[in-house]
């Protein structure tokens, strides 16, 4: 076992937000009882029938199989601002985001057998989790998401996350983008908000173009964004474009990533300046990665100037990596001027 603590010259201890997501047996409204969603017909009425408003409170009462013609709830100009309580029931067969733009909440909902292909930012629970939106306690099994297009972000919790996504579990699921700057992740694609408690089992995140970052917690964690408590088991993160960073925790980290664990998992990039890491692929200016653990896991880069690390692949000035542990794990590079390390490939 190798244990390394790597601190910047001016270390400020990172603070990680542990999501306190309350569990309720039944959603309540001050004026009305929840509207029951019993089948696909009821589901299709939300936002399209005056008795099923976008600001309503909903409770799913049975497992639902949707048709290939399913349309997402709401849109960017008419977001869903209500509450959807899934009662741990299942929605199967989605071909679009469950909700397009979320400013309300989704909780305790399971998804299976979704197969979503899009040319825009796309998620399973929501395409966009806006600043007041909350997604919590979501389970995805046998879900496949693919976007083709510039800046088409993709994720299980949300493609673009400005709000909060907590307690997301993905099993046997894939998130893939094929466009320029098409950022992909399990918790969220591009993250400005908060993502916590993401678990990926036998799952894969993959991108294939320039600056198309990929991660299990978040593909890109921007300024102010937080990703905490990410766990990957038998899962893989891969990028093939240049300047496309990959990570378990975060691919590109300009925010805060903490408490990342990888078990029997891999991170791999295959192009020029495509950095890779468990913790973060690139830990940028004022980015922080801390408390990273890798067990039987591997980080590999194949391109020139493509750094690899457990902790961080490339750690930029005023970026911080701390408390890194690697057990039976490997970091490997093969391109020219491509450094590798535990703690950081290059500081």
């Amino acid at each position: 076992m190798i244990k390394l603590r790597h601190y910047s010259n001016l270390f400020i201890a990172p603070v990680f937000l542990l999501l306190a997501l309350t569990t309720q047996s039944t959603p309540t409204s001050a004026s009305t009882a929840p509207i029951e969603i019993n089948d696909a017909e009821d589901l299709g009425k939300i936002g399209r029938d005056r008795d099923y408003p976008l600001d309503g409170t909903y409770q799913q009462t049975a497992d639902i199989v949707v048709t290939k013609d399913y349309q997402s709830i709401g849109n960017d100009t008419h977001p869903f601002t209500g509450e959807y309580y899934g009662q741990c029931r299942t929605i199967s067969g989605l071909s679009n985001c469950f909700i397009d733009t979320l400013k309300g909440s989704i909780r305790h909902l399971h998804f299976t057998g979704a197969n979503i292909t899009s040319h825009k930012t796309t998620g399973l629970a929501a395409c966009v989790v806006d600043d007041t939106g909350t997604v919590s306690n979501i389970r995805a099994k046998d879900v496949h998401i693919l976007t083709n297009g510039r800046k088409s972000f993709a994720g299980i919790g949300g493609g673009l996350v400005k709000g909060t996504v907590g307690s997301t579990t993905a099993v046997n699921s894939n998130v893939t983008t094929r466009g320029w700057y098409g950022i992909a992740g399990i918790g969220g694609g591009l993250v400005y908000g908060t993502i916590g408690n993401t678990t990926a089992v036998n799952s894969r995140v993959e991108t294939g173009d320039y600056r198309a970052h990929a991660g299990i917690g978040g593909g890109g964690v921007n300024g102010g964004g937080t990703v905490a408590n990410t766990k990957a088991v038998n899962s893989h993160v891969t990028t093939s474009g240049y300047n496309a960073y990959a990570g378990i925790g975060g691919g590109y980290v300009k925010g805060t990533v903490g408490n990342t664990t990888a078990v029997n998992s891999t991170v791999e990039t295959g192009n020029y300046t495509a950095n890779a890491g468990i913790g973060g692929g690139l830990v940028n200016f004022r980015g922080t990665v801390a408390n990273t653990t890798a067990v039987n896991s591997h980080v590999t880069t194949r391109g020139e100037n493509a750094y690899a690390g457990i902790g961080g692949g490339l750690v930029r000035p005023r970026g911080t990596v701390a408390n890194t542990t690697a057990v039976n794990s490997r970091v490997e590079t093969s391109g020219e001027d491509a450094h590798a390390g535990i703690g950081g490939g290059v500081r």
Side-chain angles (χ1 to χ4, degrees):
M1 177 176 72
I2 299 174
K3 185 167 185 178
L4 184 149
R5 287 179 169 83
H6 182 185
Y7 299 91
S8 65
N9 292 333
L10 179 61
F11 175 76
I12 299 175
V15 177
F16 303 114
L17 180 60
L18 302 179
L19 299 178
L21 298 167
T22 59
T23 300
Q24 300 178 10
S25 58
T26 306
T28 59
S29 171
S31 57
T32 61
I35 300 169
E36 292 189 349
I37 301 298
N38 303 306
D39 50 34
E41 182 179 357
D42 289 343
L43 190 63
K45 292 178 181 178
I46 299 177
R48 299 176 179 88
D49 185 303
R50 63 184 300 175
D51 293 327
Y52 293 75
L54 289 170
D55 62 353
T57 299
Y58 298 92
Q59 178 175 290
Q60 188 169 321
T61 62
D63 294 341
I64 295 173
V65 179
V66 300
T67 69
K68 64 180 181 180
D69 298 323
Y70 175 83
Q71 296 181 7
S72 302
I73 296 170
N75 54 46
D76 57 349
T77 57
H78 297 86
F80 180 77
T81 58
E83 299 178 38
Y84 192 97
Y85 182 67
Q87 295 197 113
C88 297
R89 299 289 190 175
T90 298
I91 295 177
S92 302
L94 284 176
S95 57
N96 284 300
C97 311
F98 174 58
I99 289 176
D100 183 282
T101 303
L102 176 67
K103 288 194 172 184
S105 65
I106 307 167
R107 59 185 184 271
H108 296 286
L109 186 59
H110 296 179
F111 298 93
T112 63
N115 198 337
I116 301 171
T117 300
S118 176
H119 294 281
K120 67 181 185 70
T121 292
T122 297
L124 178 65
C127 292
V128 176
V129 181
D130 218 331
D131 51 0
T132 58
T134 300
V135 176
S136 61
N137 294 288
I138 298 299
R139 181 178 173 85
K141 183 178 180 183
D142 300 324
V143 168
H144 304 282
I145 299 174
L146 170 65
T147 66
N148 294 286
R150 294 167 64 91
K151 295 187 178 182
S152 295
F153 314 129
I156 297 289
L160 173 62
V161 177
K162 299 178 180 180
T164 301
V165 174
S167 299
T168 301
T169 300
V171 179
N172 299 327
S173 297
N174 301 325
V175 180
T176 305
T177 67
R178 294 294 181 222
W180 178 87
Y181 202 58
I183 298 174
I186 295 291
L190 180 58
V191 180
Y192 289 93
T194 300
I195 291 183
N197 306 316
T198 302
T199 301
V201 180
N202 298 326
S203 295
R204 177 179 291 274
V205 180
E206 183 177 356
T207 68
D209 212 328
Y210 168 70
R211 295 194 68 187
H213 313 313
I216 296 288
V221 186
N222 244 333
T226 299
V227 173
N229 305 325
T230 301
K231 185 173 184 179
V233 179
N234 298 325
S235 295
H236 310 283
V237 181
T238 305
T239 69
S240 57
Y242 73 97
N243 279 98
Y245 313 131
I248 293 173
Y252 169 90
V253 179
K254 195 176 180 179
T256 301
V257 172
N259 302 328
T260 301
T261 302
V263 180
N264 298 326
S265 296
T266 64
V267 180
E268 184 174 0
T269 66
N271 215 319
Y272 175 77
T273 63
N275 306 303
I278 294 173
L282 169 69
V283 184
N284 212 346
F285 174 73
R286 291 183 178 174
T288 297
V289 171
N291 305 322
T292 301
T293 300
V295 180
N296 298 325
S297 297
H298 309 293
V299 180
T300 306
T301 68
R302 303 296 184 200
E304 181 181 350
N305 289 106
Y307 310 127
I310 294 174
L314 170 62
V315 185
R316 289 250 171 93
R318 296 185 69 181
T320 299
V321 173
N323 302 330
T324 303
T325 301
V327 181
N328 296 327
S329 296
R330 185 179 73 243
V331 182
E332 180 182 358
T333 65
S334 58
E336 183 179 352
D337 196 25
H339 307 297
I342 294 174
V346 166
R347 173 72 166 94

